[in-house]
Amino acid sequence: MAESFIFSIAESLITKLASRAYQEASRVVGVYDDLQDLKTSLSYVKAVLLDAEQKQEQNHELREWLKQIKLIFYDAENLLDEVDCESLRKQLRITHKHKVGGFFSSSNPLLFRYKIAQRIKEIRKRLDRVAADRDKFGLQTIVVDKRIVYRREMTYSHVVESDVIGRDHDKGKIVKLLMEPSLDNNGGSKHISVIPIVGIGGLGKTTLAKLVFNDERITDTFSLKMWVCVSDEFDIKQLIIKIINAAIVSGTTSADALVYQQTLRDMDIEQLQYLLRNKLTGQKFLLVLDDVWSEDRAKWIQLRDLIKAGGAEGSKIVVTTRSRSVASIMGTVPFHDLQGLSSEGSFSLFVKWAFTEGEEEKYPTLVMIGKEIVRKCKGVPLAIRTLASLLFSKYEINDWESVRDDEIWNLPQKKDDILPALKLSYDHMPSYLRKCFAMFSLFPKDFEFQSHDVHSLWRAAGLLPPPSKNETSLDVANRYLSELMSRSFLENVSDVSTYYYFFIHDLVHDLAQYVASDDYQLISSENPNIPENVLHLSFTELDLFSQSFDINLSGVRTILFPFGIEKAGNEYLFTKWVSTCKYLRYLDLHDSTFETLPGSISKLKHLRFLSLIKNRRIRKLPASICTLQNLEELHLRGCVELETLPEKLRNLINLQRISITSKQSVLPEGDIAKLGSLKYLDIYACDNLESPFVEVKLSALRVLRIMRCKNLKSLPLDTHHFPQLEKFTLHACGNFELSDGDQDMNSVLRLKTIYFSMVMNFPYSLQGYSSTLQTLVFARCYELEALPEWLLNMTSLKYLHIWSCPRLISLPNGIHRFIALEVLRIHDCPELYRKYQPHVGEYWHQISHIKHTDIRKTWRSREEDFCDNQDMESIGTKLSKCFFIFLLP
């Protein structure tokens, strides 16, 4: 796809240069004035970028001009990152001035300032030279991103029912809801029900609404039916006019309707709302609002109140939207989550569009190829229709094989076909989400994503803004993921209390690869070529990277292997990366077999993320790894042969997350305590560890997870040692016992989440968290027969999750008093399932008040893999769509 991220890159560069933190850093390094001059040049170019992005499709020379600017911008990003690195070095010198001289004796601040100033001038010179050509393209200055979103054409209510396949069940469910009495949240009837239909573009939401709208039962039930295509901006006046027009068309002659339409435009809003109420008064109506995008709740409430003022009891509204947020704002009942067609329905629809009636019987070979084409459409009707229409009246096998084998975005597309339909959702994204979404193109189809991993990737790539005072970058990433989910880009979301897994639909993956430029490349046997100037690389096989050594990878920022690196003897690869990819920020080497890392790793000064998870051969890390002041995450979980952590770990002053497996009996606690940015600490399978962190204080730590440390005996869980701790996980530490001794209330942690797995005792002292604890998990506590008595004191508890506790026979008698409890999940607890099974269990009435309950007799899920499989690899079978979705704060 053409260059589509340049404006957002310019915006992020200028925002960074204008930030107080970066201005202070540039003053420390001595290049403040030079960078402000660069900011001026960037602003001059940015002013015309929005216009250029919109016009580039029709102008090859303009596209090449934008590519030149993009490369300059990337060099500017690298330069700014180097200023950050130097600022961190200076900070370290000040903090440890008597202790770190050996690491930095070769660093000359004056020489750095001179070299960086020269590079800034060179970038400005290149940028000014390219910017001088902007006038010849006739570009306009546009300061704010108000680019035009090309929307779908207006819809209408007519449908030929025989043309619709596989939607009888969905139609029946919506019709049933429409025939039921309208109920408000308190069980009353003076209320208009709003039923949302939600799904990705092309699933057939509008078609389903048409089927319902034209059903005879609906016509007999509602005296007035109105169809309104919203699509464009949610303008109250225009919507009132559309609703009045729809009512007029439904209840008057065409001549009268024409007269009304001519006068409506001249009315003010007061006259219109009076006319609207007049048209609806006494009428039991059905109103379909098709293709709603706006998430402005205030406007919806304004329109809803005007509509409610007129209609008779039993009136209903159906809303179609791609956005779960819209459904949440407008709906009064749970939304109908429209799914893809079945395999049989998909193929029947394909045959209908690819052949004339009965013609398919003459071409059995084409039919077989057609079945393979249908599989790539994953049940999306518009995708099936798009590909089938390409093949209508074509009978050559190679034509069909071409459609089968080619990617959807490479096939011819009309404006009403699947890719434009999906891209419409992308076009509605704010600029900050677009590059984040493009990152999904680095992973193969059917890949299972984990929210923490996505956060790490986005953060290392510089796609997340600095978090506000009371949030973390993980909170920002979860907010972005929630936005993508609300736009129906994520599916099969499985919540595991402290994070969640999800997939993206194959067609959404196609869209990600379509919008991603050559900067993002998934290298596979089907796509082995690496483009010039690539930034982010993903390899499905190690051999594919080995074949890339002759390519210039100097600008690469991301290298990852979605399926891991399992081949032995691959140390030479790391040496190659160190010498070639000097701007590398993200390096994921899980399952690798390196026995050592080269000391030259210190050259990767831009590196922010390094994972060696489940490297079972490495014994020692080089001391030079501690010179990577930009490093934010270091993952050593599952490195079972690692003898010690590197010396001078304290020098990683930007480290925010570390996971550790080590043979040490005593961790370098003094160094860990001096990691002032450390927020997440995982200690996994440290078999010789007994009593850590007795003498130290981890001031910034928010999340502590201790797992499979078989000799662990004690841990000081109090504010003296962990003043900011919010989430604590304990799993399979057989010798560890939580203390039940007296505890100073001033030292009690303000924990929000506790995750117990394979734990035996739950002392009464845990009630000290009663005012703060929001999430509590009991997982695989096989000997647990009764939940602890203190549980009833947890007045702030919102989420209670119980998994695989087979001997647990009941919930506390007072659970009905848990008025704050919003979510109760019980899986694989046979007695609890029998007693609390929804609607039929003997004690169901005790928990029926809880907003969300998910009670299953057996369910092998990700919850069990949380601690069993800390590398987060796939369990081999896909999760079915989750019964409900809970994104925890």
Side-chain angles (χ1 to χ4, degrees):
M1 189 183 177
E3 310 305 325
S4 60
F5 304 131
I6 298 180
F7 176 81
S8 62
I9 297 172
E11 202 166 40
S12 64
L13 281 169
I14 293 170
T15 299
K16 184 170 186 175
L17 286 168
S19 70
R20 177 180 296 180
Y22 197 81
Q23 289 180 5
E24 290 177 359
S26 62
R27 285 191 174 98
V28 167
V29 177
V31 291
Y32 173 80
D33 292 336
D34 302 280
L35 288 174
Q36 292 309 302
D37 290 341
L38 176 60
K39 179 171 170 281
T40 301
S41 297
L42 288 167
S43 299
Y44 178 74
V45 175
K46 177 198 168 192
V48 297
L49 288 180
L50 284 173
D51 193 38
E53 286 185 10
Q54 293 183 37
K55 294 177 177 176
Q56 63 175 312
E57 293 290 347
Q58 290 77 38
N59 190 326
H60 173 74
E61 189 177 1
L62 181 56
R63 286 200 298 274
E64 292 302 312
W65 183 74
L66 287 173
K67 284 182 180 179
Q68 292 180 52
I69 291 176
K70 181 183 70 173
L71 294 177
I72 297 171
F73 282 179
Y74 287 154
D75 287 343
E77 286 183 324
N78 290 334
L79 183 142
L80 265 56
D81 208 39
E82 289 199 35
V83 173
D84 274 334
C85 293
E86 183 62 18
S87 176
L88 287 170
R89 287 196 190 98
K90 286 206 169 191
Q91 180 183 335
L92 187 62
R93 291 190 196 104
I94 294 170
T95 306
H96 306 304
K97 57 184 176 181
H98 300 300
K99 303 179 182 179
V100 298
F103 279 120
F104 306 107
S105 57
S106 62
S107 177
N108 185 326
L110 293 177
L111 181 60
F112 175 85
R113 176 182 176 181
Y114 172 77
K115 287 184 175 180
I116 212 75
Q118 292 301 309
R119 287 178 59 191
I120 294 171
K121 290 177 182 177
E122 177 61 25
I123 289 174
R124 279 194 65 206
K125 184 178 178 181
R126 290 166 57 200
L127 190 58
D128 292 343
R129 186 168 57 245
V130 174
D133 293 334
R134 78 177 207 173
D135 293 335
K136 74 177 183 180
F137 297 112
L139 300 175
Q140 298 179 1
T141 297
I142 306 176
V143 179
V144 182
D145 188 354
K146 293 182 178 178
R147 68 187 80 188
I148 297 172
V149 175
Y150 294 95
R151 303 178 183 272
R152 59 188 286 186
E153 293 183 356
M154 301 296 285
T155 63
Y156 49 85
S157 62
H158 176 69
V159 66
V160 179
E161 190 163 354
S162 61
D163 286 345
V164 182
I165 294 173
R167 290 303 186 199
D168 290 341
H169 177 68
D170 296 286
K171 174 187 170 183
K173 290 181 71 173
I174 302 297
V175 168
K176 181 180 178 183
L177 286 171
L178 292 174
M179 303 289 283
E180 291 176 350
S182 295
L183 296 176
D184 62 21
N185 295 332
N186 297 316
S189 60
K190 293 181 179 180
H191 179 72
I192 294 179
S193 293
V194 182
I195 304 164
I197 301 172
V198 179
I200 63 171
L203 266 182
K205 301 179 293 296
T206 298
T207 300
L208 174 59
K210 289 179 179 181
L211 288 175
V212 171
F213 190 85
N214 290 286
D215 187 90
E216 289 185 3
R217 292 166 290 177
I218 298 301
T219 301
D220 293 340
T221 300
F222 296 95
S223 58
L224 176 62
K225 296 192 303 178
M226 298 166 287
W227 181 281
V228 172
C229 181
V230 179
S231 270
D232 50 11
E233 188 177 352
F234 203 91
D235 181 273
I236 297 297
K237 181 177 179 179
Q238 293 304 315
L239 283 174
I240 293 174
I241 291 174
K242 287 183 178 182
I243 295 171
I244 294 171
N245 276 330
I248 292 169
V249 169
S250 178
T252 66
T253 64
S254 58
D256 291 336
L258 184 60
V259 173
Y260 270 117
Q261 291 172 28
Q262 290 173 341
T263 59
L264 288 176
R265 299 186 189 94
D266 300 326
M267 292 184 180
D268 58 31
I269 191 106
E270 174 65 22
Q271 294 169 314
L272 287 170
Q273 62 91 19
Y274 174 80
L275 183 57
L276 175 64
R277 290 204 311 272
N278 186 51
K279 286 292 177 186
L280 300 183
T281 296
Q283 297 267 31
K284 183 179 179 181
F285 67 79
L286 169 64
L287 170 62
V288 174
L289 297 175
D290 185 42
D291 195 29
V292 179
W293 293 83
S294 174
E295 297 178 4
D296 190 329
R297 184 169 179 266
K299 287 185 176 181
W300 160 241
I301 291 174
Q302 185 181 353
L303 179 64
R304 181 199 65 191
D305 290 346
L306 289 173
I307 295 171
K308 284 173 62 176
E313 184 177 315
S315 295
K316 300 285 192 347
I317 299 175
V318 171
V319 174
T320 71
T321 179
R322 304 183 187 194
S323 169
R324 293 169 187 254
S325 294
V326 169
S328 176
I329 290 168
M330 300 180 70
T332 61
V333 297
F335 62 79
H336 182 77
D337 193 1
L338 191 60
Q339 300 297 301
L341 297 176
S342 66
S343 298
E344 295 77 11
S346 296
F347 185 67
S348 296
L349 183 63
F350 179 86
V351 169
K352 187 175 186 67
W353 284 88
F355 299 99
T356 57
E357 187 173 354
E359 187 182 33
E360 70 276 8
E361 297 176 3
K362 303 177 184 177
Y363 302 98
T365 302
L366 298 185
V367 167
M368 293 302 296
I369 299 172
K371 290 181 178 180
E372 297 178 64
I373 293 172
V374 166
R375 279 197 289 271
K376 74 190 289 183
C377 296
K378 298 288 184 176
V380 176
L382 184 55
I384 297 167
R385 192 198 74 183
T386 297
L387 301 190
S389 297
L390 287 174
L391 296 169
F392 184 73
S393 297
K394 293 183 179 180
Y395 307 105
E396 296 294 329
I397 291 177
N398 62 327
D399 288 335
W400 285 60
E401 289 177 337
S402 176
V403 170
R404 178 195 65 191
D405 298 335
D406 210 345
E407 299 291 357
I408 283 180
W409 66 84
N410 289 329
L411 299 172
Q413 302 274 318
K414 300 188 294 294
K415 66 179 181 179
D416 293 329
D417 286 344
I418 183 60
L419 198 53
L422 288 174
K423 190 174 179 296
L424 190 59
S425 293
Y426 173 81
D427 291 339
H428 275 80
M429 280 187 195
S431 59
Y432 60 80
L433 268 187
R434 294 182 182 185
K435 286 196 291 182
C436 292
F437 174 71
M439 278 289 189
F440 290 142
S441 67
L442 295 175
F443 298 85
K445 290 182 176 180
D446 296 321
F447 185 82
E448 187 176 33
F449 294 91
Q450 197 254 54
S451 58
H452 278 357
D453 295 339
V454 173
H455 157 252
S456 299
L457 181 61
W458 285 351
R459 180 170 66 175
L463 303 184
L464 300 178
S468 61
K469 183 178 180 180
N470 295 319
E471 67 176 358
T472 66
S473 61
L474 181 59
D475 296 328
V476 177
N478 281 342
R479 190 167 68 246
Y480 284 11
L481 286 170
S482 295
E483 286 191 55
L484 289 170
M485 188 180 72
S486 75
R487 297 167 188 271
S488 300
F489 279 111
L490 312 186
E491 65 178 15
N492 293 349
V493 180
S494 178
D495 171 40
V496 194
S497 299
T498 53
Y499 53 82
Y500 49 96
Y501 294 88
F502 62 90
F503 294 85
I504 63 173
H505 194 283
D506 281 3
L507 292 176
V508 173
H509 185 276
D510 290 337
L511 177 65
Q513 292 201 309
Y514 175 70
V515 300
S517 61
D518 287 345
D519 300 338
Y520 306 78
Q521 287 295 310
L522 172 64
I523 307 301
S524 63
S525 55
E526 293 80 20
N527 179 39
N529 299 318
I530 300 177
E532 189 179 4
N533 299 315
V534 66
L535 289 187
H536 308 286
L537 277 173
S538 176
F539 296 89
T540 57
E541 301 171 31
L542 184 64
D543 290 342
L544 294 169
F545 182 81
S546 306
Q547 298 167 12
S548 68
F549 279 3
D550 295 332
I551 300 171
N552 180 12
L553 300 179
S554 60
V556 170
R557 299 177 181 179
T558 301
I559 293 178
L560 61 87
F561 295 82
F563 303 123
I565 311 175
E566 296 183 352
K567 287 196 173 182
N570 47 29
E571 285 84 352
Y572 71 97
L573 288 177
F574 202 92
T575 303
K576 176 67 177 179
W577 290 325
V578 169
S579 63
T580 304
C581 307
K582 62 179 180 178
Y583 294 113
L584 199 61
R585 296 181 175 189
Y586 182 99
L587 183 57
D588 185 355
L589 303 174
H590 71 274
D591 290 309
S592 60
T593 55
F594 301 120
E595 292 187 7
T596 108
L597 297 182
S600 57
I601 191 176
S602 59
K603 294 181 180 179
L604 297 179
K605 60 183 179 181
H606 297 264
L607 196 64
R608 298 177 180 177
F609 177 98
L610 175 61
S611 174
L612 297 170
I613 287 175
K614 286 186 66 177
N615 180 318
R616 295 186 172 90
R617 301 179 66 183
I618 196 163
R619 296 178 180 274
K620 189 176 180 180
L621 297 174
S624 59
I625 201 172
C626 295
T627 66
L628 301 175
Q629 273 75 53
N630 244 5
L631 196 65
E632 295 173 333
E633 297 193 36
L634 176 61
H635 293 281
L636 307 172
R637 186 177 63 244
C639 297
V640 292
E641 295 300 321
L642 188 63
E643 295 174 355
T644 63
L645 295 178
E647 295 181 4
K648 299 187 178 179
L649 198 66
R650 68 183 65 187
N651 292 336
L652 298 177
I653 58 175
N654 210 34
L655 195 68
Q656 298 183 36
R657 183 171 187 174
I658 185 171
S659 62
I660 299 169
T661 297
S662 169
K663 292 184 175 182
Q664 292 169 274
S665 59
V666 179
L667 297 175
E669 296 177 2
D671 275 9
I672 294 175
K674 283 184 166 51
L675 297 175
S677 299
L678 189 66
K679 294 180 176 65
Y680 304 87
L681 173 60
D682 289 0
I683 301 176
Y684 182 79
C686 293
D687 291 343
N688 298 319
L689 198 63
E690 292 188 3
S691 301
F693 307 119
V694 175
E695 303 294 336
V696 300
K697 180 178 182 178
L698 277 63
S699 300
L701 198 70
R702 292 194 175 199
V703 179
L704 175 61
R705 304 197 302 174
I706 300 183
M707 299 154 286
R708 295 195 179 279
C709 297
K710 62 183 182 181
N711 287 312
L712 184 72
K713 295 179 179 178
S714 63
L715 184 72
L717 282 175
D718 56 53
T719 56
H720 300 311
H721 296 84
F722 306 103
Q724 301 295 323
L725 196 65
E726 296 179 350
K727 298 180 180 180
F728 175 63
T729 292
L730 181 66
H731 167 69
C733 299
N735 289 321
F736 182 83
E737 288 194 9
L738 292 165
S739 171
D740 201 9
D742 294 333
Q743 195 171 35
D744 178 5
M745 290 306 295
N746 292 325
S747 68
V748 174
L749 295 169
R750 298 185 61 80
L751 287 178
K752 295 180 180 179
T753 298
I754 299 179
Y755 194 119
F756 289 128
S757 177
M758 299 179 69
V759 175
M760 299 287 292
N761 70 310
F762 309 96
Y764 199 77
S765 60
L766 292 174
Q767 72 170 335
Y769 310 128
S770 61
S771 63
T772 61
L773 194 66
Q774 297 178 9
T775 300
L776 180 59
V777 180
F778 297 93
R780 303 169 70 189
C781 299
Y782 300 120
E783 303 301 318
L784 182 64
E785 296 182 356
L787 293 174
E789 294 180 5
W790 50 256
L791 183 62
L792 292 176
N793 297 325
M794 298 295 158
T795 55
S796 299
L797 195 65
K798 294 182 178 179
Y799 308 92
L800 177 59
H801 302 178
I802 306 169
W803 301 312
S804 298
C805 299
R807 301 184 67 177
L808 188 60
I809 59 175
S810 68
L811 299 175
N813 289 330
I815 196 168
H816 63 278
R817 299 198 302 266
F818 275 19
I819 58 175
L821 193 62
E822 298 177 3
V823 177
L824 174 63
R825 300 174 74 181
I826 300 173
H827 296 163
D828 198 20
C829 302
E831 277 299 301
L832 294 187
Y833 175 79
R834 184 180 65 82
K835 291 181 177 180
Y836 298 93
Q837 187 177 358
H839 308 292
V840 297
E842 180 182 359
Y843 298 103
W844 162 247
H845 65 278
Q846 294 184 1
I847 62 173
S848 60
H849 67 285
I850 300 172
K851 186 176 181 180
H852 298 292
T853 57
D854 182 17
I855 302 175
R856 308 188 188 193
K857 188 173 184 178
T858 58
W859 190 45
R860 168 74 175 164
S861 72
R862 275 295 190 179
E863 290 80 19
E864 294 192 8
D865 291 291
F866 170 77
C867 295
D868 273 355
N869 213 359
Q870 280 297 298
D871 61 337
M872 313 304 178
E873 64 187 355
S874 175
I875 60 175
T877 58
K878 293 183 188 178
L879 294 171
S880 60
K881 184 169 181 64
C882 211
F883 180 71
F884 55 84
I885 297 166
F886 303 121
L887 300 184
L888 301 184

